[in-house]
Amino acid sequence: MPSYSAPIKDMQFVLHDLLKVSQSDVPGYDDLEADFTAAVIDEAGKLTSEVLAPLNQVGDTQGCRLENGVVRTPDGFKAAFDQVREGGWTGLDMPEEYGGQGMPYVMGTAVGEMFSAANQAFTMYQGLTHGAASAILAHGTEAQKETYLPKMVSCEWTGTMNLTEPHCGTDLGLMRTKAVPQDDGSYKLSGEKIFISAGEHDLADNIVHLVLAKIPGGPDGIKGVSLFIVPKFLVKDDGTLGDRNGVSCGKIEDKMGIHGNATCVMNYDEATGYLLGEEHKGMRAMFTMMNEARIGVGMQGLAQAGIAYQNAVDYAKDRLQGRAVTGPENPDGPADPLIVHPDIRRALLDQKSFVEGARAFMLWGAMLIDRSHRMDDEDADGLISLMTPVIKGFLTDEGFDMTILAQQVYGGHGYIEEWGMSQYARDARIAMIYEGANGIQALDLVGRKLATDNGKHVMAFFDLVKSFIKENEDNEALKADFLDPLKAASKDLQAAGMYFMQHGIKNPNDALSGSYDFMHLFGHVCLGLMWAQMAKAAQEALDAGAGDTAFYETKLATGRYYMARRLPATAMHLARINSGGSTVMALDAEQF
């Protein structure tokens, strides 16, 4: 059976050597001393490795089942969910006034990676609740907050988001679910929603659905969409549960992965709902949840790559196969371990350099969210808005690829379910699709985010890269291995942006045909920046005589690999972008 070990040392390195969180001016960060963050991460690590990880294969093999309208989750999920709730993990970064612990989002992100790595399907129940609670926190009335948030923060009640319908996914303006106003200020919702993760289950007393629907007589298309709170059980004035609402699960989808999470078809039959936010402004309210979810999904890509890599390393060290080309390295055994072979090293270093770079990128992004929320920092808000499609799209694409590489290390055993590698690949695959398929993320990045505020935020990113390079240009330890590759990659990214400016206005297909490559080009530059900054931090630690020399030297060697072997992909992506849209659009529909 595969296992999971929380990457405590690496998280501590990112938080304190790289981001220097306790020295930050973000409110609440002065509490994030190394001893404190280590205690939190260590406890989360024990829970994830000892409780959640052993249930991962259980959830995959058993799945969920629908019995008389009730979804039964896999064996052990209910007891584990109770344990997670009792530990206060569900409200780690939620406001104290609603029962949360009030920690910064960066801590929620670090802990969230461990939870998702250990058991992605299980963690989605609380993760979706966090997103729904955040939407109510941002857009709800005081009465709605008081009614729902304390129970949702504790996960006594869970939450969902309901967007997709059988005939419409991305184009939500086509939705048919309707919400008819009632004399008492409530609405009656009728319609069908599909692909609703955690739509029905036996883990909580109530499920609070956030449902997009149209109020009759409203504007056409997306401008006529509103958002509603629709609880599974109606809530009485005293906060206790009342009658069952007109919402039910009609089916559980039979899907490729995340079997332990119930993906439901939800039927609304004149269900009572309550407007969240303003009429016809539902997408604005829902995007509070969707943007958080997209960052969380990016984290899922990182998390699945991380646990797959851990197990692939263990296998490569244990499995004897062939001899090293330079001579036996296990002369007393019948063969050498797999890890002596260069191509296995390549596969493992691809994974290791991605996982550690992506972890730094995620936690840096979480720090931007904290700056935005806790300081009303508009520049940080603009930068993380720009980065959101990159985090979601690039990290999930690459994360899936890394699970495939990990599976490949196992050879034939990677294709056998008992080893667990198939599950990581299958679970990671959905992250490329939900919360906006990655092609949509790329279109959002190129079509909307680049031009936001007249390009202010992408220029701020370029300045961030330029400033780092300039500040360290006399550092010979960094120049050839880190700064020069980062400068070349950044120039590729700027050249791609210039191509869009010169050609995209005249022919939008020239820009949109290159959007997917641009998202990956941007992602590589982001990880290149993270690796250059981590290399500086590691070198400074070595120069200062910090302990654990092997850790810092390994960090530098891994970074050199990324800069030499992974970052040059930016040139390939730029070449594709510069080829324009003519070859992409050359065939008529009938020619496919």
Side-chain angles (χ1 to χ4, degrees):
M1 176 181 287
S3 62
Y4 177 65
S5 178
I8 297 171
K9 183 178 291 186
D10 198 56
M11 285 185 175
Q12 286 288 90
F13 169 78
V14 174
L15 289 172
H16 299 286
D17 293 67
L18 176 65
L19 300 178
K20 301 185 183 337
V21 289
S22 63
Q23 301 173 32
S24 170
D25 59 346
V26 178
Y29 271 44
D30 53 352
D31 293 330
L32 302 183
E33 296 290 345
D35 289 346
F36 175 77
T37 60
V40 173
I41 293 170
D42 185 60
E43 283 302 310
K46 291 176 184 175
L47 178 63
T48 53
S49 62
E50 296 172 9
V51 178
L52 301 189
L55 293 174
N56 199 32
Q57 281 193 313
V58 175
D60 187 52
T61 54
Q62 288 188 7
C64 297
R65 61 189 190 278
L66 182 62
E67 297 178 349
N68 300 318
V70 177
V71 169
R72 304 298 181 188
T73 52
D75 291 348
F77 270 44
K78 181 67 165 65
F81 202 67
D82 289 342
Q83 194 168 340
V84 169
R85 279 192 293 226
E86 289 163 6
W89 296 105
T90 60
L92 194 72
D93 56 2
M94 295 300 282
E96 293 180 77
E97 63 185 298
Y98 299 112
Q101 298 189 46
M103 291 187 198
Y105 186 78
V106 72
M107 288 303 296
T109 300
V111 169
E113 181 200 329
M114 292 184 279
F115 272 78
S116 288
N119 197 323
Q120 179 174 320
F122 176 94
T123 301
M124 288 170 64
Y125 291 100
Q126 69 207 53
L128 288 158
T129 306
H130 189 288
S134 295
I136 294 173
L137 182 65
H139 302 284
T141 64
E142 288 305 314
Q144 288 172 339
K145 294 176 188 178
E146 291 173 7
T147 298
Y148 297 103
L149 289 183
K151 298 288 189 180
M152 294 177 73
V153 168
S154 68
C155 269
E156 292 175 70
W157 300 350
T158 61
T160 71
M161 56 193 297
N162 286 234
L163 290 79
T164 307
E165 299 183 7
H167 59 283
C168 71
T170 301
D171 191 354
L172 293 172
L174 298 175
M175 73 174 55
R176 296 171 184 159
T177 300
K178 64 180 180 179
V180 179
Q182 304 298 298
D183 293 340
D184 63 358
S186 67
Y187 293 76
K188 292 294 185 184
L189 277 78
S190 298
E192 182 181 66
K193 297 288 185 177
I194 64 171
F195 304 156
I196 310 306
S197 300
E200 169 61 30
H201 56 80
D202 56 3
L203 301 179
D205 296 332
N206 202 8
I207 303 175
V208 180
H209 302 286
L210 298 192
V211 185
L212 286 177
K214 289 185 174 181
I215 300 171
D220 292 333
I222 200 67
K223 293 181 179 180
V225 172
S226 302
L227 184 62
F228 299 88
I229 299 172
V230 186
K232 175 180 175 180
F233 289 97
L234 298 174
V235 183
K236 297 179 183 179
D237 291 340
D238 63 0
T240 61
L241 296 182
D243 295 335
R244 176 70 187 258
N245 206 354
V247 54
S248 61
C249 173
K251 176 188 176 185
I252 300 177
E253 299 291 358
D254 182 12
K255 55 192 188 295
M256 178 178 176
I258 54 169
H259 296 152
N261 195 276
T263 303
C264 301
V265 174
M266 301 301 298
N267 298 315
Y268 293 87
D269 301 305
E270 293 198 340
T272 299
Y274 309 94
L275 184 67
L276 179 60
E278 302 176 47
E279 284 190 0
H280 316 311
K281 303 291 184 182
M283 288 309 299
R284 183 168 63 183
M286 182 60 87
F287 263 107
T288 298
M289 187 173 182
M290 287 180 67
N291 284 333
E292 177 179 315
R294 285 172 176 172
I295 292 170
V297 170
M299 182 172 63
Q300 290 177 353
L302 156 63
Q304 293 306 299
I307 189 170
Y309 164 70
Q310 284 187 13
N311 285 277
V313 168
D314 290 343
Y315 186 83
K317 290 179 179 179
D318 291 341
R319 175 74 168 179
L320 301 181
Q321 199 88 132
R323 289 293 188 186
V325 68
T326 53
E329 294 195 18
N330 179 33
D332 296 330
D336 289 332
L338 277 172
I339 201 164
V340 305
H341 303 300
D343 195 60
I344 295 294
R345 295 289 190 100
R346 172 199 60 81
L348 293 175
L349 274 166
D350 276 359
Q351 296 165 63
K352 180 177 174 63
S353 64
F354 166 76
V355 168
E356 294 179 14
R359 180 173 296 126
F361 186 30
M362 278 295 312
L363 292 174
W364 174 68
M367 198 169 176
L368 288 176
I369 291 174
D370 279 329
R371 294 195 71 87
S372 170
H373 291 175
R374 291 175 173 241
M375 302 178 72
D376 293 323
D377 187 327
E378 293 183 0
D379 290 336
D381 186 68
L383 190 53
I384 192 58
S385 179
L386 172 70
M387 292 298 168
T388 295
V390 182
I391 290 172
K392 196 281 183 184
F394 180 70
L395 295 192
T396 59
D397 276 353
E398 290 285 298
F400 173 72
D401 286 347
M402 297 307 149
T403 65
I404 298 300
L405 276 178
Q407 189 181 33
Q408 190 75 9
V409 169
Y410 279 70
H413 289 297
Y415 204 65
I416 304 301
E417 292 295 346
E418 70 178 278
W419 290 90
M421 307 311 289
S422 164
Q423 183 184 352
Y424 301 139
R426 288 184 286 103
D427 285 357
R429 184 61 183 87
I430 185 57
M432 301 162 69
I433 298 173
Y434 60 13
E435 306 306 338
N438 285 354
I440 299 298
Q441 302 303 317
L443 295 179
D444 178 48
L445 175 64
V446 171
R448 293 180 62 246
K449 298 296 175 62
L450 286 184
T452 299
D453 294 333
N454 296 314
K456 172 184 176 181
H457 307 298
V458 71
M459 294 307 298
F461 177 78
F462 289 141
D463 287 343
L464 186 67
V465 175
K466 289 177 185 176
S467 296
F468 178 80
I469 293 172
K470 186 171 181 59
E471 289 166 6
N472 296 282
E473 60 187 357
D474 295 330
N475 189 332
E476 291 301 321
L478 295 180
K479 190 176 188 309
D481 291 337
F482 292 95
L483 300 184
D484 290 348
L486 178 60
K487 182 184 290 185
S490 180
K491 286 183 178 179
D492 287 342
L493 184 62
Q494 293 176 64
M498 186 62 67
Y499 177 88
F500 291 154
M501 289 178 61
Q502 293 174 343
H503 298 269
I505 296 176
K506 298 177 184 176
N507 183 4
N509 285 333
D510 281 339
L512 298 185
S513 295
S515 60
Y516 212 92
D517 280 287
F518 186 82
M519 181 178 71
H520 276 256
L521 200 169
F522 208 150
H524 276 297
V525 174
C526 288
L527 262 62
L529 175 61
M530 293 299 111
W531 270 115
Q533 292 178 336
M534 285 193 287
K536 179 182 179 181
Q539 189 63 57
E540 288 176 347
L542 288 171
D543 293 343
D548 205 347
T549 299
F551 174 84
Y552 294 114
E553 289 179 344
T554 301
K555 184 66 67 175
L556 284 165
T558 306
R560 291 188 190 102
Y561 179 89
Y562 192 90
M563 305 306 275
R565 298 288 300 243
R566 303 287 294 165
L567 193 57
T570 61
M572 174 193 70
H573 291 301
L574 176 60
R576 290 174 175 175
I577 290 167
N578 283 336
S579 71
S582 59
T583 55
V584 175
M585 305 304 295
L587 298 185
D588 293 332
E590 293 75 17
Q591 293 177 280
F592 280 92

